[in-house]
Amino acid sequence: TEVTFIMVKPDGVQRNLTGEIIRRFEAKGYYLRGLKLKQVERSLAEEHYIDLKSKPFYPGLVDYILSAPVVAMVFSGKNVVTMGRKLIGATNPLASEPGTIRGDLCIDVGRNVIHGSDSVESAQREIGLWFPEGLVEYKPHMLPWIYERM
Ligand code: GTP
Ligand code: MG
């Protein structure tokens, strides 16, 4: 099944929003496959956002990710990459709809509480970076109550 990489950024952890964010993904019907609280090393933060290296906000973005621990997660389920981005909302909280995580929980683009992979390919790359030890395999027993067919 499809997997995505989700990270509660330092502001989300500091603001005690980790539970709220996990709750939204779980309530939707997605399953945790990996979870850790981590003080990130610079090399990982830089590699994670490597595609944004040329952007003027890149140094500030890396410093933001290093500023306090993050919660790194993998969720699995049908279309979880695309739906994860919908649950998260637009990058700039001014454009995120109420009802989305960013639309409900933050104000500044540089303090937007959560990261989610933007494609299946990005998810594979990011999960490889953050969870080199691999994911946890198990069979959730509620799947027939979430999916019409599997
Ligand atoms: P992520 O899920 O964190 O990857 O966000 P995104 O995919 O919605 O946006 P993108 O990958 O383009 O940017 C990554 C992160 O950089 C954003 O979530 C913001 O935290 C930050 N960022 C993006 N654009 C700006 C900007 O214009 N100014 C500032 N200060 N930060 C920005
Ligand atoms: Mg992104």
Side-chain angles (χ1 to χ4, degrees), residues 5 7-13 38-49 52 57-71 102 109-115 130:
F5 176 68
M7 170 175 61
V8 182
K9 294 178 177 177
D11 50 331
V13 176
K38 188 177 163 75
Q39 176 62 55
V40 178
E41 60 274 29
R42 180 171 292 277
S43 57
L44 176 59
E46 289 180 350
E47 188 62 28
H48 174 77
Y49 280 123
L52 300 174
F57 58 82
Y58 178 80
L61 174 59
V62 170
D63 285 346
Y64 164 36
I65 297 304
L66 298 180
S67 62
V70 302
V71 173
R102 288 170 177 161
V109 67
R111 294 289 184 271
N112 62 359
V113 303
I114 182 170
H115 161 81
W130 290 82

